[in-house]
Amino acid sequence: MNTYNENLQQTVVNTLSALALNQSNLDSLKTVAEYTLYYAQGAEITARDKLEGTEDDVTTWQNINNQSLINANQVFNLLTSTTEANTDVAVSITNTATAAANVQIASNAISVLASDIGAAFNIATAALYQTDVYEKIQSANSLINEVANEAKRISKSAMNASGSTAEITISEVLAQTTSVKSKIDNLFTSTQAELDKFTKQGIAENAQITTASKAERQAEGELADARREVSAINTAYDNSNNQLNQCLSISVVSGSEITASFAALPLPAFYSPQAADVTIPDADPVYYLTLVPAQNQTTFSIDQVEQLFSQRPAGDNSLFVSITPDASIDVTGAVKRSPTSIQLGSDAFGNPVLAGSSYVAFLYIELSKAYKQYINNYSELLSAPSQPFTPATILPLAQKLEVTPNSAPDAAGVTWSTASFTFTPLGSSADTGTVQQNTTTAAPGKGKAKSVAAQADTAASVQQIVSGEQPAATSSAAEALAAGSSTAILAYEFRCILVEQGGMPDLNLLRCPENLNLPPIYFNQAIAGQVSPANYIAVPAAVSGRCTFNFPPTATDNFGNVIKPNTSYQLYILTVATGDPSDQAQYTNVMANTLPAITVCTQA
C-alpha cells in the first residue's frame, strides 16, 4: 500500500505532467501559427511584388499604346490627305495635258499666221518698199513674230507643266501610306491587346493580394490566440508548480552550470492541542538537488532515490547537491528568487552529465528523525520533477553592427556595402550570449554528447588560443592554429539574414496592437533557423572577435527576393553551431534581433 506522501507526490506529478503536456501541445500550435503567419506574409509580399511589376508593365504599355494611338491617328490623316492628293493630281495631269495640247494648237496657228504675214512682208518689200503699206506690213510682221515666239514659249511651259505634273508619284505615296497604316493599325491592335492583358492581370493580382491579406490577417489573429493560450497555460503551470512543487525552477547557464531555485517545504499545521509535556520537534528539512535523465523521470521513485542516496560515495556531493531554499511568494502571488549556481558533475545514477542531453531535477528532502518519529512517518520526501532542461553552452551574440558603403558602384550603378560586427568568443571572460526577445532554446540533438568535463577541456583549449597561450600539442585547437586557420577552432558561424522593413508603401503587416512595436515581418529565432542557405550570408567566426563581410550583388532577403536599392532592411544575425552534428546539441543558438536597420545598397 502506498503511503500518503507517495500518493500526494504521484498526484502532484500527474497534475504537473498533464499541464506540461498541454503546455507542449499549445507551444506546438503556437509554433505552427508562427510559421503560418510568416509564410502568409511571404505570400502577401510576393503578391504585392508581382502587382508592383505588373503595374510597371501597365504603365509602360499604356505609354506605348498612347503613342500607337497617336501614330494611328496621324497615319489616318496622312492616308486621307494622300487619297485626296492622288485624286487631285490625276485631275491635274489630265487638265495640264489638255491645256498643253490646246496651247500647242494655238502656237501652231500663230506660227502659220506669222509665216503668212512674213511672206506678205517679203512681197511688200519688193514691190512697195518705203510706202505706207510697207510700213504697216513691217509693223504687223514684227508684232506677229513676237506673238509667235511668246506662243512658242508658252507652249513649251505648258508641256513642261504637263510633264512635271505627270511626274508626281502620289500613287506610290498612296500605296506606301496604305501599307504603313496597315502596319500601324496592327501595332496598335497588339499594344492594345498587351495593355488589356496586363490590366486584367493587375486586376487578378489585386484579388490575389486581397486573398493573401485576408490569410495574413487570419494567421495573425490565430497567432494572437495561440499566444494567449500559451500565456494562460504557462501561468497555470507556474501557479501549480509554485503551490504544489515548491516553486522548483532550473535555468541553464552553460553546458557545465545551471541555477536552481525553490521555496522551503511547507510543513503541515497541527490543529489538535498537544499534551502539556509534548513539544513538536523541528522538521529541520535538508534539501538535496539531483539530476535524472528526462527519459527516466516517470520511473524515478522515493524508494529508488533513498537507495541511491544511501549508496552514494562518502563525501561525494556531486550526485546529490546540498542546497538551500531561496524563493518566496509575496501576498500578490509573485515569486522572488535568488537562484543558486550549481556546477554539473554526475546525475543521480553516478553517470556524467552530458551536455546536449535532456534532464529533469528532483528535490530530495530529509526531515529530522525526531520529527519523523513525532508524525510516525519515516519516509523522506521527493518533489515532482522540474521541467526538462538541456545543459548547453550559449553561443556568442553578434553586436555593434557597422555598415560602410563601398567606394565605387558596380556595373549596374548600384553601390553595395560592407558590414562588420563584434562578438565575445567562447572561452573569454564573458563567453555567453544574452537570449533576446523572440529567441528560443535549441532543441536537444540526437547522437553522442560530451560530458561537461570534456566540454570544459575544450573550452580551456579555446581560452588558451584566445588569450594567446599555446595549448597542448595534442589539442585539435592547436593543430588548427598550426595549420594557419583562424576560424577552425571556433565551432560556430554567423548567419546574416536580411528582412525587408521599408520601401514598399503598403508594407503594413502586423496590425494587432501587441505587434505594433515589432518589425512589419514576423521573424524569430525558430524561423531564422529554417531560412534556406541561399537566402543568408554565412560568416565564419573569427578568433579576433570581429567579423567583416560584403553584401554581394546576388544577395537575397529571407524570402529569396532580390535586394532592393534604397530600401531599409533589418539584419538578423543567427549564431549556430557547426561541425559534427552529434556535437551541435552541446550549444544553444542565439540570434541578435535588436541591431539597427540598414540600407544594403543605394542607386542614384
Side-chain angles (χ1 to χ4, degrees):
M1 178 180 296
N2 292 335
T3 65
Y4 170 81
N5 287 340
E6 290 174 336
N7 290 334
L8 177 60
Q9 196 255 0
Q10 188 60 47
T11 301
V12 171
V13 169
N14 292 341
T15 300
L16 294 180
S17 296
L19 288 173
L21 179 60
N22 196 4
Q23 193 178 40
S24 177
N25 292 336
L26 291 178
D27 276 334
S28 297
L29 293 177
K30 175 176 172 287
T31 300
V32 171
E34 288 174 341
Y35 280 101
T36 301
L37 173 60
Y38 174 71
Y39 289 113
Q41 289 180 332
E44 181 174 353
I45 291 174
T46 299
R48 292 182 185 276
D49 286 342
K50 289 176 61 179
L51 178 61
E52 185 179 2
T54 301
E55 288 176 342
D56 291 341
D57 291 334
V58 168
T59 301
T60 300
W61 284 103
Q62 183 67 63
N63 294 334
I64 296 175
N65 187 71
N66 292 340
Q67 187 61 48
S68 297
L69 179 61
I70 293 173
N71 293 342
N73 291 335
Q74 290 176 340
V75 78
F76 175 79
N77 295 334
L78 178 61
L79 180 62
T80 301
S81 300
T82 305
T83 302
E84 294 178 357
N86 183 65
T87 302
D88 293 343
V89 168
V91 173
S92 297
I93 290 175
T94 300
N95 292 340
T96 55
T98 302
N102 293 335
V103 170
Q104 184 64 40
I105 292 173
S107 177
N108 292 337
I110 292 172
S111 297
V112 171
L113 177 60
S115 176
D116 291 343
I117 293 175
F121 178 70
N122 292 334
I123 293 173
T125 300
L128 303 172
Y129 184 70
Q130 292 185 345
T131 62
D132 291 339
V133 175
Y134 172 80
E135 294 294 336
K136 297 293 182 182
I137 294 174
Q138 184 182 21
S139 177
N141 183 64
S142 297
L143 290 175
I144 196 64
N145 284 337
E146 291 179 4
V147 171
N149 290 333
E150 186 66 20
K152 184 177 180 182
R153 185 185 65 78
I154 292 174
S155 176
K156 184 177 180 181
S157 296
M159 287 188 295
N160 290 337
S162 177
S164 297
T165 304
E167 291 177 356
I168 297 176
T169 59
I170 190 62
S171 58
E172 182 64 24
V173 173
L174 178 61
Q176 292 181 359
T177 303
T178 302
S179 176
V180 170
K181 183 178 184 303
S182 176
K183 295 177 180 179
I184 290 180
D185 288 344
N186 292 337
L187 177 61
F188 177 67
T189 301
S190 299
T191 57
Q192 185 65 48
E194 288 295 316
L195 178 60
D196 291 343
K197 181 186 75 173
F198 284 111
T199 301
K200 292 178 180 178
Q201 183 175 331
I203 294 173
E205 289 175 353
N206 258 317
Q208 292 176 359
I209 289 179
T210 301
T211 302
S213 181
K214 289 180 179 179
E216 193 277 338
R217 294 291 178 263
Q218 181 178 355
E220 188 176 346
E222 291 175 353
L223 177 57
D225 292 341
R227 279 177 170 174
R228 296 185 185 97
E229 291 179 353
V230 169
S231 177
I233 191 62
N234 288 343
T235 301
Y237 184 90
D238 290 341
N239 290 339
S240 299
N241 185 65
N242 295 342
Q243 295 296 326
L244 304 176
N245 202 32
Q246 301 174 239
C247 307
L248 179 59
S249 174
I250 303 296
S251 298
V252 175
V253 177
S254 68
S256 58
E257 181 183 0
I258 62 173
T259 60
S261 174
F262 67 99
L265 176 69
L267 297 175
F270 295 94
Y271 297 101
S272 300
Q274 66 267 24
D277 58 345
V278 175
T279 302
I280 301 177
D282 292 332
D284 293 332
V286 179
Y287 304 91
Y288 297 92
L289 186 80
T290 187
L291 305 186
V292 176
Q295 66 268 23
N296 296 336
Q297 62 177 313
T298 57
T299 60
F300 197 65
S301 63
I302 184 63
D303 294 334
Q304 187 178 20
V305 72
E306 287 179 342
Q307 181 181 6
L308 292 172
F309 185 77
S310 63
Q311 294 177 351
R312 74 189 192 282
D316 188 353
N317 194 35
S318 63
L319 280 65
F320 292 84
V321 180
S322 179
I323 189 171
T324 57
D326 63 278
S328 61
I329 303 177
D330 60 20
V331 293
T332 64
V335 179
K336 297 181 180 179
R337 300 180 183 274
S338 298
T340 302
S341 176
I342 298 176
Q343 296 297 322
L344 301 177
S346 303
D347 62 15
F349 305 104
N351 300 318
V353 174
L354 302 177
S357 298
S358 181
Y359 291 87
V360 294
F362 285 88
L363 282 176
Y364 176 62
I365 306 171
E366 278 191 324
L367 304 178
S368 67
K369 184 179 295 185
Y371 183 81
K372 288 188 288 186
Q373 288 175 346
Y374 179 81
I375 63 175
N376 196 28
N377 186 346
Y378 293 89
S379 297
E380 309 297 353
L381 301 179
L382 182 67
S383 73
S386 68
Q387 287 191 310
F389 62 91
T390 302
T393 298
I394 300 176
L395 292 173
L397 187 71
Q399 52 192 343
K400 296 182 181 179
L401 175 68
E402 297 179 359
V403 177
T404 305
N406 295 338
S407 58
D410 60 12
V414 178
T415 302
W416 293 87
S417 301
T418 300
S420 65
F421 60 88
T422 62
F423 66 96
T424 304
L426 291 179
S428 61
S429 58
D431 62 353
T432 57
T434 302
V435 179
Q436 302 185 36
Q437 178 185 2
N438 285 342
T439 61
T440 56
T441 302
K446 298 181 179 179
K448 65 178 182 179
K450 293 182 181 179
S451 67
V452 293
Q455 191 180 48
D457 292 341
T458 303
S461 298
V462 175
Q463 170 62 34
Q464 289 177 319
I465 296 298
V466 173
S467 61
E469 300 176 8
Q470 182 63 32
T474 57
S475 169
S476 59
E479 294 173 359
L481 187 64
S485 172
S486 62
T487 59
I489 63 172
L490 302 182
Y492 50 92
E493 68 177 11
F494 299 93
R495 296 178 180 178
C496 302
I497 305 171
L498 292 168
V499 179
E500 183 179 356
Q501 300 298 293
M504 188 181 297
D506 48 3
L507 190 61
N508 49 7
L509 307 176
L510 295 179
R511 290 182 176 177
C512 287
E514 62 265 33
N515 295 331
L516 293 181
N517 295 326
L518 296 178
I521 297 177
Y522 189 85
F523 199 76
N524 60 19
Q525 182 175 325
I527 295 174
Q530 301 301 317
V531 172
S532 169
N535 299 333
Y536 64 74
I537 300 173
V539 180
V543 176
S544 62
R546 183 177 184 87
C547 294
T548 302
F549 65 97
N550 297 317
F551 292 104
T554 56
T556 58
D557 65 10
N558 57 307
F559 290 119
N561 301 319
V562 296
I563 299 301
K564 303 174 184 177
N566 309 320
T567 301
S568 176
Y569 286 86
Q570 178 66 49
L571 179 62
Y572 295 92
I573 301 181
L574 177 66
T575 312
V576 298
T578 58
D580 194 319
S582 63
D583 294 332
Q584 294 180 12
Q586 302 170 38
Y587 300 94
T588 298
N589 299 341
V590 294
M591 183 175 73
N593 59 1
T594 58
L595 300 173
I598 63 173
T599 300
V600 179
C601 59
T602 58
Q603 187 174 30

